[in-house]
Amino acid sequence: MSITRKTAVVGIGETPTDRLGGKPGEPRKSTAEYLAWAARLAMEDAGLTKKDFDGQGLAAIYTTNHSQPFWPEEVAAILGITPAVSLAGGNGGASSVSLLGHAAAAITAGLCDLVLVIAAAAPFSEHGGHRGATADTRDYEMPFGVMGPNCKISFVMSRYMHESGMTEEHFGKIAVTGRYHASLNPNAYLRKPITIEDYKKSRLISDPIRLLDCVLPANGGKAYIMTSAERAKSMRKPPVYLLGWGECNNASVGPRYRANPLITGITQAGKRAFEMSGVSHKDIRCLNLYDDYIPIVMIQIEDLGFCGRNDKGFFEKTDFTFKGDLPIQTSGGMINCGQPSTTGGMLHVIETVRQIRGEAGARQVPNIKFGISTGVGAVNYGKNFGCTAAAILGNEA
Amino acid sequence: MAETAKEISKPLPEITPVNQPFWDGARAGKLMMQKCADCGTWVFCPRPVCGDCSSATLNWLQLSGKGKIFSFTVIREVVGHALRGFAPDIPYVTAWIDLDEGPRFCSNIIGCPVDKVKIDMDVQVVFEDGGNGVTLPKFKPR
Ligand SMILES: [Zn+2]
């Protein structure tokens, strides 16, 4: 039993992102408020109400601010929903894309007919959250002053530059493209266009990673709703079908003790998604790739097979803007729209849905039928992402 | 009273039955890692079973402590409350070191100006007191 073309996304909800609460005296909103807000927006978009979700599916994503073990139940209590199927996203930034497949499996198997996938975080407004670390990080990274993902992805970027010869010009082009798209997205947080010179002048955080390589932490909430392809036909908005999906966790290319960090699990997750969908690369008109850092966007383009490894020429000649050869990061990405912890990755699902529906306004990709979204999470010791997922969405079942 | 940088401790590993031989080795000036007795692969970070063949027979062996820098970064900002004890050390270098025997190890490059550190540089382990009875294997150019 395959999940291809059996389900569709029929509702999306995205609260504005903000950084309120970072300074004394600023107004604050709790995670619970962002959750309720995102749920309401997604239900309105789908033409559903809370009561429709009793006896259905609820998928809550763990965030770094809320990692208590009963989090999915706390979310159900906050929303006042009594789900029959409780799914949980524990794959970090990959969770939103992972749950597309998990929710589709639950619906296709007949366990439920609707799934609300939801996440919110308010790192600036709520303090004292528990921030977990893996045993490997606690014992073999933190004692050496490894500053989390900034540091670990710097290792990846530094090696990527060494092997590929990519320079600030290549990374800067991707940063400029993302910000250009953000300037056309009213929901984006950073909207002032930048130049490659601005990128080069932005301060070094962890060489070679600069400020403009990094994702923007924020408060916010996001949600999407899935249902069966059959039921989707009678919903308020045009269905956006899940055509292909793949996940890969704990990937190691090469020996586990010395893996190649420049090839991530997206290679396998993407291959599975393409095979399931039957869609070819040339028909994908929009790539919304998890963007914790600029070089990770580029490595995923390679992983997904849109170009060869270390293909400098491809990155130089391709127009990545929404009207160009291969539109990427059409929302502006989390780097410009904000990343409320692991909630952030849902941006890439929501944006692909918007593009395929034709709701993307000034940044609408023309003639789009198919798009791909990815998610990645957890940076494993000495390698790259632990959790990866890819999903191909389209306007025809 | 505001805490001064000197008083802020750095995070230390949690010594567990699985990783204890590594940390006992470091205190004795030895870099120790596990090697699978059944399939021969190196295993690091320490594990109860081999990730390749599931064997529970993992032998602790001493490595030469020689290796090459696979990649590195210069840390210029503290991120997160738990790591604020590193503020006085900034800028400093963290690196992935590919050891001659095979495994990759994450540590600091010391005894070298930060702007002189390069990928492929040959390095050698040195042992540094990390406080509370913990010895940290670090690396310097050789
Ligand atoms: Zn083995």
Side-chain angles (χ1 to χ4, degrees):
Chain A
M1 185 175 67
S2 171
I3 58 170
T4 183
R5 294 165 172 81
K6 301 282 172 53
T7 62
V9 177
V10 292
I12 50 174
E14 179 184 41
T15 75
T17 48
D18 63 64
R19 288 160 69 92
L20 292 173
K23 298 184 187 117
E26 279 184 339
R28 298 162 60 191
K29 265 194 176 45
S30 66
T31 298
E33 289 170 279
Y34 288 108
L35 278 168
W37 190 358
R40 180 169 57 76
L41 292 172
M43 288 178 196
E44 280 172 7
D45 187 57
L48 297 167
T49 68
K50 177 181 91 68
K51 287 202 168 24
D52 293 311
F53 288 86
D54 286 332
Q56 294 289 345
L58 175 67
I61 295 174
Y62 287 92
T63 70
T64 44
N65 300 82
H66 284 86
S67 51
Q68 63 88 356
F70 314 114
W71 179 238
E73 171 52 21
E74 190 175 339
V75 173
I78 289 165
L79 300 178
I81 289 172
T82 306
V85 179
S86 179
L87 301 170
N91 291 358
S95 298
S96 307
V97 178
S98 285
L99 283 165
L100 279 169
H102 304 171
I107 293 167
T108 306
L111 302 180
C112 55
D113 197 32
L114 281 175
V115 179
L116 171 65
V117 182
I118 190 162
F124 288 90
S125 275
E126 287 183 337
H127 308 292
H130 171 72
R131 204 176 179 87
T134 66
D136 291 352
T137 290
R138 178 194 66 200
D139 300 337
Y140 291 102
E141 291 179 336
M142 289 173 69
F144 300 96
V146 169
M147 293 289 163
N150 284 351
C151 174
K152 296 200 265 188
I153 300 302
S154 291
F155 293 151
V156 174
M157 182 175 180
S158 175
R159 187 71 195 183
Y160 185 50
M161 293 172 79
H162 180 77
E163 291 194 12
S164 69
M166 303 275 187
T167 66
E168 289 174 321
E169 299 286 333
H170 299 89
F171 302 108
K173 178 179 176 180
I174 303 297
V176 168
T177 303
R179 184 64 69 83
Y180 168 60
H181 288 151
S183 77
L184 303 173
N185 177 4
N187 288 349
Y189 187 85
L190 298 173
R191 299 193 60 198
K192 185 169 168 258
I194 54 168
T195 64
I196 288 190
E197 285 311 307
D198 293 329
Y199 171 84
K200 288 185 190 168
K201 278 187 296 194
S202 73
R203 75 173 193 273
L204 282 166
I205 306 276
S206 182
D207 308 13
I209 282 186
R210 297 179 174 281
L211 182 67
L212 290 179
D213 284 308
C214 298
V215 76
L216 179 81
N219 304 319
K222 292 178 172 57
Y224 65 82
I225 295 167
M226 291 185 84
T227 191
S228 63
E230 193 53 39
R231 184 168 175 183
K233 286 176 197 153
S234 58
M235 304 288 284
R236 176 179 285 175
K237 291 285 179 76
V240 175
Y241 297 97
L242 181 62
L243 306 179
W245 176 88
E247 197 179 277
C248 178
N249 301 293
N250 192 33
S252 278
V253 175
R256 286 170 208 283
Y257 56 77
R258 189 186 221 170
N260 182 347
L262 304 184
I263 303 175
T264 81
I266 287 291
T267 306
Q268 293 167 69
K271 187 165 181 283
R272 288 169 190 150
F274 272 105
E275 282 173 4
M276 184 188 286
S277 70
V279 174
S280 66
H281 282 70
K282 68 173 172 36
D283 292 326
I284 301 277
R285 288 297 298 151
C286 186
L287 281 67
N288 289 302
L289 309 173
Y290 196 89
D291 58 331
D292 45 357
Y293 300 91
I294 292 287
I296 295 307
V297 173
M298 298 166 69
I299 288 172
Q300 287 181 90
I301 292 171
E302 297 182 9
D303 283 339
L304 290 169
F306 285 93
C307 67
R309 293 285 167 197
N310 302 329
D311 195 345
K312 274 194 332 189
F314 173 82
F315 285 101
E316 287 159 13
K317 70 172 190 269
T318 303
D319 178 354
F320 293 109
T321 63
F322 72 101
K323 284 183 182 166
D325 313 312
L326 187 68
I328 65 167
Q329 313 306 87
T330 51
S331 64
M334 297 189 297
I335 287 173
N336 298 301
C337 295
Q339 181 200 40
S341 177
T342 53
T343 307
M346 204 181 288
L347 173 72
H348 297 302
V349 175
I350 289 174
E351 176 66 10
T352 301
V353 170
R354 281 208 180 101
Q355 288 287 350
I356 290 170
R357 284 179 175 179
E359 291 180 348
R363 64 187 192 283
Q364 179 65 50
V365 174
N367 305 317
I368 177 175
K369 285 185 177 170
F370 307 110
I372 190 164
S373 298
T374 65
V376 302
V379 192
N380 282 352
Y381 184 91
K383 40 186 112 166
N384 208 318
F385 298 113
C387 307
T388 56
I392 295 173
L393 298 164
N395 65 357
E396 51 193 50
Chain B
M1 196 180 75
E3 54 186 357
T4 64
K6 218 175 170 180
E7 290 166 328
I8 303 169
S9 60
K10 293 174 180 172
L12 289 173
E14 185 167 327
I15 313 295
T16 68
V18 172
N19 70 26
Q20 184 160 7
F22 177 91
W23 296 107
D24 285 350
R27 208 164 44 204
K30 296 175 182 175
L31 186 62
M32 304 288 289
M33 290 187 180
Q34 293 168 296
K35 199 167 203 276
C36 178
D38 286 309
C39 76
T41 192
W42 287 99
V43 176
F44 191 80
C45 301
R47 293 283 185 262
V49 292
C50 172
D52 280 1
C53 77
S54 300
S55 168
T57 312
L58 303 177
N59 296 324
W60 284 92
L61 302 179
Q62 184 180 355
L63 289 86
S64 66
K66 291 183 167 61
K68 268 187 194 320
I69 295 177
F70 177 77
S71 195
F72 72 98
T73 183
V74 182
I75 304 282
R76 301 194 185 268
E77 291 185 16
V78 168
V79 181
H81 195 69
L83 294 163
R84 69 201 195 286
F86 287 95
D89 301 345
I90 282 174
Y92 61 90
V93 175
T94 57
W96 278 345
I97 296 122
D98 280 3
L99 299 164
D100 283 359
E101 291 84 354
R104 181 168 298 152
F105 186 70
C106 180
S107 183
N108 301 116
I109 304 300
I110 59 173
C112 179
V114 297
D115 58 353
K116 294 284 181 286
V117 177
K118 297 273 179 287
I119 284 178
D120 288 339
M121 187 181 254
D122 290 319
V123 292
Q124 167 73 47
V125 72
V126 286
F127 293 93
E128 205 177 83
D129 181 13
N132 278 347
V134 171
T135 301
L136 298 170
K138 299 199 171 180
F139 287 77
K140 63 170 194 199
R142 71 177 143 99

